[in-house]
């Protein structure tokens, strides 16, 4: 398996397919070199879980909660871009190996995109200490 199911069994509206395990998905060892890490050893890669689809008006009012997991203690920074413009961002301190909820909010450009009333394809990027990254693509509905 290349994803950990986070919500209801199977695909759900909040977490989509779940949190992607990039090491398993790519077949590469965690961290890009060396032997594969043992589960629970504290090494690995950044993981990100974002709902597959969500409504922009709800994001405008309350922000959006995404789940981020880091291989080491530090700050998980989450951002989302569309066509090169930063539309969403947020950050939160995280403990190694523990999934952390990060509430992200719209930037000025993001609020403008929601008010235009069009669907927007976003690429979310989670970054952790040491340069670890994970990404996910989702659609924001008006």
């Amino acid at each position: 398996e290349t994803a950990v199911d986070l919500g209801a069994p199977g695909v759900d509206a909040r977490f989509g397919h779940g949190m992607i395990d990039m090491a398993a998905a790519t077949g590469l060892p965690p961290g890009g070199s060396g032997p594969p890490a043992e589960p629970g050893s504290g090494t690995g890669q950044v993981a990100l879980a974002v709902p597959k689809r969500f409504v922009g008006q709800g994001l405008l009012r309350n922000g959006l909660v995404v789940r981020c997991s880091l291989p080491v203690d530090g700050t998980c920074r989450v951002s989302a871009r569309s066509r090169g413009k930063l539309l969403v961002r947020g950050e939160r301190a995280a403990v190694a190996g523990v999934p952390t909820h990060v509430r992200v909010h719209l930037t000025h450009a993001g609020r403008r995109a929601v008010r235009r009333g069009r669907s927007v394809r976003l690429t979310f990027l989670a970054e952790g200490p040491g340069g670890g990254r994970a990404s996910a693509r989702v659609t924001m509905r008006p």
Side-chain angles (χ1 to χ4, degrees):
E1 291 230 353
T2 59
V4 176
D5 199 1
L6 298 174
V11 179
D12 58 80
R14 183 162 185 195
F15 294 109
H17 292 280
M19 188 173 2
I20 299 170
D21 178 356
M22 293 305 292
T26 61
L28 297 174
S33 63
E38 294 297 319
S41 67
T43 61
Q45 294 185 345
V46 175
L48 174 68
V50 181
K52 278 293 198 192
R53 291 184 185 95
F54 51 89
V55 178
Q57 290 297 324
L59 180 59
L60 190 62
R61 286 186 212 105
N62 306 317
L64 177 71
V65 176
V66 299
R67 202 178 271 195
C68 178
S69 183
L70 301 176
V72 295
D73 292 352
T75 300
C76 181
R77 289 180 176 83
V78 179
S79 61
R81 293 181 179 270
S82 178
R83 299 183 180 186
K85 291 187 180 183
L86 179 65
L87 301 183
V88 178
R89 68 178 168 196
E91 64 181 50
R92 187 166 184 187
V95 177
V98 178
T100 302
H101 292 164
V102 179
R103 185 172 297 274
V104 295
H105 294 279
L106 290 166
T107 62
H108 180 71
R111 287 189 295 273
R112 194 174 332 131
V114 169
R115 288 187 186 117
R116 286 186 180 147
R118 296 186 187 129
S119 291
V120 178
R121 190 85 167 131
L122 295 171
T123 301
F124 277 83
L125 177 67
E127 297 178 289
R133 293 180 171 197
S135 64
R137 291 197 58 150
V138 296
T139 302
M140 178 175 66
R141 304 275 181 211

